[in-house]
Amino acid sequence: MTALQIVPSILSADLGRLGNQVREAQSAGARAIHIDVMDGHFVPPITFGPAILHAVRAATDLPLEVHLMVSNPEAQVDAFIAAGAQTVIVHIETTSHMHRLAQSIRAQGARAAVTLNPGTPLTALEGVIADVDQVQVMGVNPGWGGQPFIPATLDRVRALRDWLDRQGLHAALEVDGGVNESTIASVAQAGATMVIAGSALYNDRESVMDAMARLRRALAPDEAQ
Ligand code: DX5
Ligand code: ZN
C-alpha cells in the first residue's frame, strides 16, 4: 500500500492567525496546504480569493493546492496560479471543457487536478483521467468543513484505484471531506495516496501538532507520510 500524505485544509483554521496556523501545519510535517475556494454560487458559502493565497504563500514555502468550488472556473484559474497555486483542482460539474482547462493549467506550470461531487458518476472522468496529475474524490458534499464522511466514498476510491492501476496511470488519488481518526485508515486501505484534513487538524480541542499525531496513529506505521 502506498504511504498516505495528509494535507491540511485551512477552511477550519483560525483565520485571525492564518500565518501561524499554516506554519503550525508545516511544523507538524505537512507537505502541502489545501485552500478551499467557494463562490457563493456553485456552493452557498463564499471563502477565499487570490489575496488569501498571497498571504499563505508569504507564510510558507509549501506547495499550495487550490480547490475551486466555483462556477465558470476558466475565469479564475489564471489568477490563482499567478497567486502561487501549484495544483488547481477543478470540479468536473463546473465546466464543459475539463480537458482543455487541464491543458491550460499544465501549460502555466501547475498540476491539473479534477474532482467530483458524491452524486456524480465516476464515468464523468473517462475522457480526462489520463491527462491530469491528480484525481480527487469528495467524501462529503462540497461547501462546508466538519461534515460526516459518506461511506459510499470508499467504493468509489477502490474503483478509481483499480482504474488507475489497470491503465498504468500515476495520478495522485486524493480524498477530501470527512477524513478524521475514525475514517482515515479505511480511506488509506481503499487506495488513496492523499487525504485532506480540515476540522480534524484545526479544532479547539488540541494543537495542530497533536491533531496530526493523532491522525498518524490512526494509520498503520508504514502508511503515514
Ligand atoms: C469541503 C472542503 C474540504 C474541507 C474538509 O467542501 O472541500 O476541503 O475543508 O473539511 P473536513 O476535513 O472538516 O471535512
Ligand atoms: Zn477541499
Side-chain angles (χ1 to χ4, degrees):
M1 187 185 306
T2 327
L4 187 74
Q5 189 185 153
I6 301 170
V7 181
S9 157
I10 58 163
L11 186 63
S12 297
D14 177 351
L15 298 180
R17 309 189 296 116
L18 180 58
N20 283 340
Q21 293 263 274
V22 168
R23 284 186 286 270
E24 285 164 37
Q26 184 161 13
S27 307
R31 297 196 288 131
I33 301 291
H34 182 91
I35 300 171
D36 287 303
V37 174
M38 307 187 191
D39 66 350
H41 187 260
F42 177 62
V43 292
I46 297 177
T47 56
F48 310 130
I52 293 290
L53 256 83
H54 278 295
V56 175
R57 178 79 297 151
T60 181
D61 52 9
L62 289 177
L64 309 182
E65 61 170 51
V66 172
H67 177 189
L68 291 182
M69 285 162 274
V70 303
S71 302
N72 193 15
E74 284 86 352
Q76 304 294 339
V77 159
D78 297 9
F80 282 102
I81 294 175
Q86 268 90 350
T87 300
V88 180
I89 306 166
V90 176
H91 271 267
I92 194 112
E93 302 85 1
T94 61
T95 177
S96 310
H97 297 289
M98 185 62 227
H99 195 277
R100 192 172 76 200
L101 189 52
Q103 285 181 316
S104 153
I105 291 167
R106 283 176 155 182
Q108 294 178 68
R111 296 173 69 252
V114 61
T115 188
L116 68 188
N117 288 335
T120 302
L122 295 181
T123 49
L125 298 174
E126 228 166 74
V128 294
I129 194 163
D131 295 311
V132 292
D133 302 288
Q134 186 168 317
V135 179
Q136 190 201 68
V137 182
M138 292 304 300
V140 300
N141 287 293
W144 300 270
Q147 302 178 76
F149 186 73
I150 298 172
T153 307
L154 291 177
D155 279 342
R156 286 158 69 78
V157 176
R158 280 189 278 266
L160 272 167
R161 175 77 277 148
D162 202 49
W163 186 356
L164 292 169
D165 290 349
R166 269 189 288 113
Q167 302 216 347
L169 300 172
H170 300 290
L173 178 50
E174 179 176 75
V175 173
D176 185 11
V179 174
N180 55 40
E181 63 179 326
S182 314
T183 56
I184 192 168
S186 49
V187 168
Q189 274 150 21
T193 58
M194 302 169 76
V195 290
I196 304 308
S199 54
L201 279 184
Y202 290 110
N203 56 65
D204 47 20
R205 301 184 300 275
E206 60 200 342
S207 67
V208 178
M209 186 77 87
D210 288 349
M212 185 68 102
R214 180 195 294 280
L215 283 180
R216 292 212 171 103
R217 275 198 303 274
L219 285 166
D222 60 330
E223 288 170 24
Q225 203 181 88

